[in-house]
Every structure is written in structure tokens, then in C-alpha cells.
Amino acid sequence: MSYRLSSCLCLVLFSGWTACAFAVPLTDPEVPVTLTAPSPAAGNTAQPASQKPGQYDTLAQPSAAFVCPRHAAEASAIECFLEAVEHLYTVCRQVKSIELLEFGFANAEEGLNGLKSEFCRRKQKTSLPQYFDAALREAQAMSSCEAARTLNDLYMIWSATMVGLRPYLNETEADYQQRIAVPYLAFAAYRQQVREALANAGQWPVQHCPSLVVFTP
């Protein structure tokens, strides 16, 4: 799938996300933001009443057993990535659901109410790239630049869907719940395309696939 087509799909599925208009070279990834936790005062073991941004560290990376639990022990980096895209989206969707229950839909984004889901989004945004890179290398080694392009398109869509877990201004809860279920259809379609591309791959090594771009929210 071409970059233009994937961008159109992004805009159609997730209309209103102005971030869909931006892309950066794959070789120039965004530097992750480190948020460190303050040291508690001596003898004070009480937990703070509310979480603050400084209490999170996004550099502590989850293991493969968390990122792709069904395929962590397998050799296929592509299958791990294909699972991780849906799994990590679901993890952050569940975190957001807890916030909606705790604070109510209308107040879910007020103040620090959305901090946990924002942390989840940042956490997975910094954890997935290494699995994406491994999947691209495997696709190239299997002589399938088409699979590599489709993996890249899937990563772009995933990045956009993670931003879309935030409710839109003036969006109803019913519309929100319907919208955040749409990405699962896209994930399934891309998985099928990748597997078909690999099945049709050539028998000779591909030295270098054309330069790819990756969406950055």
C-alpha cells in the first residue's frame, strides 16, 4: 500500500486528527521523553493522592513477553510485531476505559485525569519501534519489500490510533466507543496483506528497500 493511500485511510478512519499530516524519515526517530520519579522524603511511605507526570519513566521497556505474548518465543519478528500492534492498542484502550469509569466521560481529559492513558501511549510509543525495526529487517531478508511497505503503513496507522484514544472535543460517548473499535478492522486487514506479501516474496535477497517514512503523532 502506498504512503498516499495509507495517509488517506488514516484521514478517513480517524477524521479530525491533524497529526495525520506529518511524517518524518524512519532514520530520524523521535527521541523518547524521560520522566523521572522524585525521591520520597525519609520515613514517608504514604502514596501521593494523585499521580504526577514526574512519577513515570518511559525508558523502562517492557519485555517481548508483554509486547507480543503469543509470539515472544517464536523466531518471527514479523508475527511478533503484527500481534504487538493490536495488543498494545488494547492495553492503552483498557487504561483509558478505566479513566472514563473513574472520572466520567465529560471529565476524562481535565487536569491530570488523563495522565495514566497518556503515560501508556508514550510507553508503548517508545517500546514498539525496536520490534518494528526487527520486522522490517526480516521482511527485507525474506525478499519482500512489499511486506516492508505494508508493515510501515501499519505502523503509521497504529501511531494515529493511539492518539485517537483521546476523546474529541464535543464527541459523545457513544460515538467515541464506536470510533475506537474501528482500528481492529484495519489491523486485521494489514496483517492479511503482510502475510500475502510474504507468501509471494521472491527467492533472492533484497539488499535495500526504498526509503520509508513513519508517522509520528
Side-chain angles (χ1 to χ4, degrees), residues 151-172:
L151 287 168
N152 182 65
D153 291 340
L154 174 57
Y155 187 40
M156 294 167 63
I157 294 298
W158 177 84
S159 299
T161 62
M162 294 294 277
V163 177
L165 286 172
R166 301 167 179 159
Y168 295 158
L169 183 65
N170 298 325
E171 185 176 30
T172 67

Side-chain angles (χ1 to χ4, degrees), residues 5-58:
L5 182 57
S6 64
S7 298
C8 291
L9 178 59
C10 174
L11 293 172
V12 169
L13 290 179
F14 317 112
S15 176
W17 295 358
T18 56
C20 288
F22 298 93
V24 298
L26 181 62
T27 55
D28 184 23
E30 181 180 353
V31 177
V33 178
T34 305
L35 303 173
T36 57
S39 300
N44 182 9
T45 58
Q47 295 296 322
S50 61
Q51 299 288 358
K52 297 181 180 180
Q55 293 175 287
Y56 297 113
D57 180 4
T58 59

Side-chain angles (χ1 to χ4, degrees), residues 4-198:
R4 178 177 298 177
L5 182 57
S6 64
S7 298
C8 291
L9 178 59
C10 174
L11 293 172
V12 169
L13 290 179
F14 317 112
S15 176
W17 295 358
T18 56
C20 288
F22 298 93
V24 298
L26 181 62
T27 55
D28 184 23
E30 181 180 353
V31 177
V33 178
T34 305
L35 303 173
T36 57
S39 300
N44 182 9
T45 58
Q47 295 296 322
S50 61
Q51 299 288 358
K52 297 181 180 180
Q55 293 175 287
Y56 297 113
D57 180 4
T58 59
L59 293 183
Q61 297 299 315
S63 66
F66 173 81
V67 174
C68 53
R70 291 196 302 271
H71 297 91
E74 297 181 5
S76 175
I78 291 176
E79 287 299 326
C80 177
F81 175 75
L82 293 178
E83 179 189 357
V85 166
E86 181 170 317
H87 175 62
L88 297 182
Y89 175 78
T90 300
V91 168
C92 290
R93 180 184 177 183
Q94 290 172 343
V95 173
K96 174 55 74 174
S97 296
I98 293 173
E99 290 178 344
L100 296 178
L101 290 173
E102 183 176 2
F103 303 110
F105 185 80
N107 301 317
E109 295 296 312
E110 290 187 1
L112 299 179
N113 293 353
L115 184 61
K116 292 178 182 177
S117 60
E118 176 63 16
F119 166 69
C120 183
R121 187 185 71 82
R122 293 191 183 190
K123 184 80 169 182
Q124 310 319 329
K125 182 182 173 183
T126 61
S127 66
L128 189 59
Q130 61 179 311
Y131 298 93
F132 172 58
D133 291 341
L136 286 181
R137 290 193 299 269
E138 185 172 272
Q140 184 166 319
M142 296 174 70
S143 305
S144 183
C145 285
E146 179 62 28
R149 286 190 292 269
T150 307
L151 287 168
N152 182 65
D153 291 340
L154 174 57
Y155 187 40
M156 294 167 63
I157 294 298
W158 177 84
S159 299
T161 62
M162 294 294 277
V163 177
L165 286 172
R166 301 167 179 159
Y168 295 158
L169 183 65
N170 298 325
E171 185 176 30
T172 67
E173 186 169 5
D175 288 342
Y176 171 78
Q177 295 297 343
Q178 182 177 12
R179 177 172 61 80
I180 63 174
V182 170
Y184 292 103
L185 299 176
F187 296 156
Y190 275 94
R191 283 197 302 270
Q192 182 64 27
Q193 290 180 34
V194 170
R195 289 164 181 162
E196 290 177 355
L198 292 175

